[in-house]
Amino acid sequence: MIRAGIVGYGYWGPNLARAVAESGLLSVEMIADRSAPALERAGRRHPSTRMTTDWRSLVADPSIDAVLVATPVDTHFEIALAALKAGKHVLVEKPITDKVATAAILVEEAARRRLVLMVDHTFVYTGAVRKIAELVSSGAIGDVYYYDSTRVNLGLFQRDVNVIWDLAVHDFSILDHLLTARPVAVSASGAGFVPDSPENMAHLSIYYDDGALAHLNVNWLAPVKIRQTLIGGSRRMVIYDDMQTSEKVKVYDRGVMAGECASPSRESLVSYRIGEMSAPVISSREALVTEMEEFARCIASNARPITCGESGLRVVEMLAAATRSMALRGQPMELAPERLAS
Amino acid sequence: MIRAGIVGYGYWGPNLARAVAESGLLSVEMIADRSAPALERAGRRHPSTRMTTDWRSLVADPSIDAVLVATPVDTHFEIALAALKAGKHVLVEKPITDKVATAAILVEEAARRRLVLMVDHTFVYTGAVRKIAELVSSGAIGDVYYYDSTRVNLGLFQRDVNVIWDLAVHDFSILDHLLTARPVAVSASGAGFVPDSPENMAHLSIYYDDGALAHLNVNWLAPVKIRQTLIGGSRRMVIYDDMQTSEKVKVYDRGVMAGECASPSRESLVSYRIGEMSAPVISSREALVTEMEEFARCIASNARPITCGESGLRVVEMLAAATRSMALRGQPMELAPERLAS
Amino acid sequence: MIRAGIVGYGYWGPNLARAVAESGLLSVEMIADRSAPALERAGRRHPSTRMTTDWRSLVADPSIDAVLVATPVDTHFEIALAALKAGKHVLVEKPITDKVATAAILVEEAARRRLVLMVDHTFVYTGAVRKIAELVSSGAIGDVYYYDSTRVNLGLFQRDVNVIWDLAVHDFSILDHLLTARPVAVSASGAGFVPDSPENMAHLSIYYDDGALAHLNVNWLAPVKIRQTLIGGSRRMVIYDDMQTSEKVKVYDRGVMAGECASPSRESLVSYRIGEMSAPVISSREALVTEMEEFARCIASNARPITCGESGLRVVEMLAAATRSMALRGQPMELAPERLAS
Amino acid sequence: MIRAGIVGYGYWGPNLARAVAESGLLSVEMIADRSAPALERAGRRHPSTRMTTDWRSLVADPSIDAVLVATPVDTHFEIALAALKAGKHVLVEKPITDKVATAAILVEEAARRRLVLMVDHTFVYTGAVRKIAELVSSGAIGDVYYYDSTRVNLGLFQRDVNVIWDLAVHDFSILDHLLTARPVAVSASGAGFVPDSPENMAHLSIYYDDGALAHLNVNWLAPVKIRQTLIGGSRRMVIYDDMQTSEKVKVYDRGVMAGECASPSRESLVSYRIGEMSAPVISSREALVTEMEEFARCIASNARPITCGESGLRVVEMLAAATRSMALRGQPMELAPERLAS
């Protein structure tokens, strides 16, 4: 049993604590939060767990094997670095940090100490995304042409983070997991409609070195909640609709074929293939529990997690580049080729 | 009764001819097409109409008051200009021409001769768009913050025109009709996945001088047909789903209000307003017939049509700028301020 | 080429005439209608067809091989009988007649004269129903447990026919085609909410000799149009939603298995099987044209059509029994075992 | 604070206990269950509550004001009667009992002792049903013509109760709440497709003394979950779709008007009214908590609850009559006029 300490018991920490407990592979040894009422709530749900208001004492505690960080993003770096330096494996809520430089330091520190550094990119562990990843890696999709995601809803506006860092982060982590191609540039447009508030709407285009194009539409000010992703491939196409209770993933055996021009009409360049649609069975296992199993597996076998620190760093690079492009009305930002290998 | 001549009886011409006949305000005097089988088809449906293979004789015919042009886009300029010079009122299929310069010449020629020059931006005349225009102009929407349109389907790939000129043209004409703000820049990303074929997928962001942002997602290679537009305003928000047989337009009494921060939490910047949704009654009158009535009204009263030549020119400016931006991976294109007044 | 005469050119006759012409296997030789304007409309669309206001002359015309009857239902019997007696093959709009006795006479007359008698149960020829029939006959569905159809919309109220004869007739013909089991009883409930108008809402249950149960929900006074049928089988289940433009038929690899009681809980009687859903490709060929091909095939080869006179008679038996049951608040009506063989 | 004792901590008891605690108006004083593990689970969630394996000691405990019964339905009568005889107010899980006779005894006992007897018909307390009740009672719907509910899904099969007692019970309680008309007869059809298992599919028609017709379609063997109710009225119509996360209730300003026959066509009996659709704001307050407030209010003020014992008795009468009709293939069952007043 891996003994886990959780830093931060606000919005997301309780979910991590519960998933740790349910995994059966890690135990909730200790919880740290500055707020006494938060610790009281934690105590009711985890009566045998030690509580502290001082995260440094948790990080320093010799009985702790792994630290899970669920604090505001601007504190991730300090806490995660301290935990790594104390020899703990670390799981950090997304995004890993708020700057490329600090994310890179965490990655290096974990590598040097041969510790597991993992980012809580939860969507990657959902049954739907795992099924799509299987379809991509098995070749069922063929070459991935595009990934086109709409992730909009009404609120919640964040005080200090724009909508890219809040919502696009999910798609960047999914893209990092699904695609083997390398992103080479990003162009983003956005706007904010609430005074003194960061951008609440953004559209991002990501160019890949194999010609694929990803697009993310994120918005905190939409009348309804939409979570829909179209994925186009040379063999099949996918619609992933996370608002559906069943049939979240639909696979379409459809596409175009470049071909001979039968007639000289202006529309006869290509022919179409229209085959069956199918909705595969999706695992309903809770993503967070699957994620905890991955964390435990990597700690036990000294393996690199699916959502490793490097993937977290790549996601932050994308978030930062997109934010820069957005400030320049879509000016494309080239992405450095010397990115860390996956 | 206005005597109309139709040039081009291929894909779209028959629809124009039928709408002319059904309007009761114009008559189908003459039809021109180079193809004999096309004229034969035309003759069966319009037995009392004169047919010709020579559009120049139609344009020159003194019995014709108005010319409707439904030929390939690269021939629009020559035919429309000849018709104007012959003193005819002109309705041109969208887009008005394939270049800004030629569109501007048509606009000037029509103005000089005080003839009606109208573009067949059909969507502007649908019951749904007319209802949305009413909601915007009445103030029910409040300030328009954004217009976010998804217009994707499988095919038809065009031989010589990219997806922007084929699909985004609809949204540009709707935007030109709905918004009073001036577009100041456009950024576009796109890709083509069929060899030797123009771009089949594009994302366009249009910046307006009042801070509004429009976004268009167009794609010929999507597994299903989606025609969905979200419009966000300071008072209400709209979802326009053209694939619905009923309830195409839904109006949401929802939004955010910047306000006092009750608690110091990171998510409490704004408060939300969640009110009723309503789907107003939409006229089911056919758009093309409404459009013919507008054409007849403007000819009779020497008025400027809703989709006048200037609006057609503005749409071509947007299409051209977006295509340039797309070639430069989203590099924003500034739009000249000295655009023609609406 | 089979020479067809069409009696009745009101609401449905023009569709029959068009399908006859498009089939390429029959020709529209003659059209009869009492109304001069109707014949004028017919003449414009079928310029080489002879027109008459006297259906008897059409039926008697030696140049006619087959008569299609698209007149009000209370005239079907007289016209169809006359046509059969004149040695013509006959296709009658649904329902075949308005009484069991007259339907039986037509069936006997056609059998005696070895003429094709077919009913225009159009739905049976749609791509969707043909696909479902294939799924049933191939064993993919397994034993059919139930057929549960909802067929509701707003209007059109009929003057002299209740909603069962107008809407349930479609499901009865589909059931007659899909199922090999014999219906043994029917129970129906209904109500009319418009004064001096027949019942506009009805619910029908049909019991089959193998234990299957069909249910039809028909209503002229629903706020929206619903055309949805659930079909449950021992192996698979189907949802047929005719309002969908694509994916009209969805096949679910789902069901229950009676099994051992693992635990003594009250809910553990059965276990569930949840597999993939798939939407097969459905032919988009127009049903009426397919139907005309079937008519021509049967005339040419002296074969019995899928929707033969006997099936039309069985449908009328069901309609009549359901109407009787409805008048008695669901009192079940036994169906005679000596029904005509399929 | 009303001191509540809960008998039964299996499937539903924990929900009742939580709602009691969240109401702030009742306290969870005591929980009884025969199962030690159940009591252990209860103890973790309600650490200050007394636990017992003997429901009789709970019922007899002088510190208890009210007893909530969440045991199997065949034990409701004995426990609820004992509680009433001990002077406790009683809330019983639905259905109140499994026989009309025992339900009537409970109602009489509560009336004699002036104690609150309430049934846990939870749906009546949902925001959606409360909104619909408001629309009916305010006259917005006009005369209610019909209530047509589809409540189907895959499982769970019950061991000893047919699908009517499991699913139709919800609609009967909603109908009892919504309608002021008196049900006069019921006709039901059903079938069971799993050997040695009760009926898993049923269709019920309920006739009202004002001509209204209700219909319930319940099924444990459907491929997908459907929870959809159409309500037709003389002024407006409603669609209540409980599977929607938003817009559960849609109100259609649509209907028919009997009128003059403009033309002698067979379809011109009535004219149609097609107005706006609107989706009102629905309270998202949890139904069970609202229900506990109602229980507390009635105890405090000696009032009759919305879902009083009499309504529970009327629901059982309907369930029993429908089950009898189902055994006779839809034979209508008259309902006694001398039912208890609401």
Side-chain angles (χ1 to χ4, degrees), chain C residues 14 46 80 96 106 113 186 202 305 330-331:
Chain C
H46 302 277
I96 184 168
L106 292 185
R113 294 178 182 271
V186 60
Q331 180 84 34

Side-chain angles (χ1 to χ4, degrees), chain C residues 139-146 231-238 252-258 273, chain D residues 193-194 221:
Chain C
I141 303 295
D143 300 330
V144 175
Y145 286 155
Y146 66 82
I231 301 173
S234 56
R235 292 188 152 187
R236 285 191 183 78
M237 298 195 268
V238 168
Y252 292 82
D253 185 16
R254 292 183 189 168
V256 297
M257 294 168 288
R273 190 167 42 77
Chain D
F193 306 116
V194 177
L221 190 62

Side-chain angles (χ1 to χ4, degrees), chain C residues 228-245:
Chain C
Q228 185 174 276
T229 306
L230 276 65
I231 301 173
S234 56
R235 292 188 152 187
R236 285 191 183 78
M237 298 195 268
V238 168
I239 297 184
Y240 162 33
D241 185 342
D242 205 36
M243 296 305 291
Q244 299 292 320
T245 47

Side-chain angles (χ1 to χ4, degrees), chain D residues 62-108:
Chain D
S63 72
I64 297 288
D65 303 314
V67 173
L68 289 76
V69 183
T71 55
V73 65
D74 56 2
T75 65
H76 285 185
F77 174 62
E78 183 183 10
I79 299 168
L81 187 63
L84 290 169
K85 289 192 166 167
K88 316 297 189 193
H89 303 288
V90 171
L91 173 63
V92 191
E93 200 191 335
K94 60 91 190 166
I96 184 169
T97 65
D98 54 2
K99 287 186 197 68
V100 174
T102 50
I105 292 173
L106 291 186
V107 167
E108 283 162 32

Side-chain angles (χ1 to χ4, degrees), chain C residues 146 148 155 157 217 221 254 272, chain D residues 146 148 155 157 217 221 223 272:
Chain C
Y146 66 82
D148 186 359
F157 277 65
N217 177 346
L221 191 60
R254 292 183 189 168
Y272 296 87
Chain D
Y146 66 83
D148 187 359
F157 277 64
N217 177 346
L221 190 62
Y272 297 88

Side-chain angles (χ1 to χ4, degrees), chain B residues 247 252 274-279 281, chain D residues 247 252 275-279 281:
Chain B
E247 301 160 31
Y252 293 82
I274 306 261
E276 188 180 78
M277 178 272 273
S278 67
V281 179
Chain D
E247 300 160 33
Y252 293 82
E276 187 180 80
M277 178 272 274
S278 67
V281 179

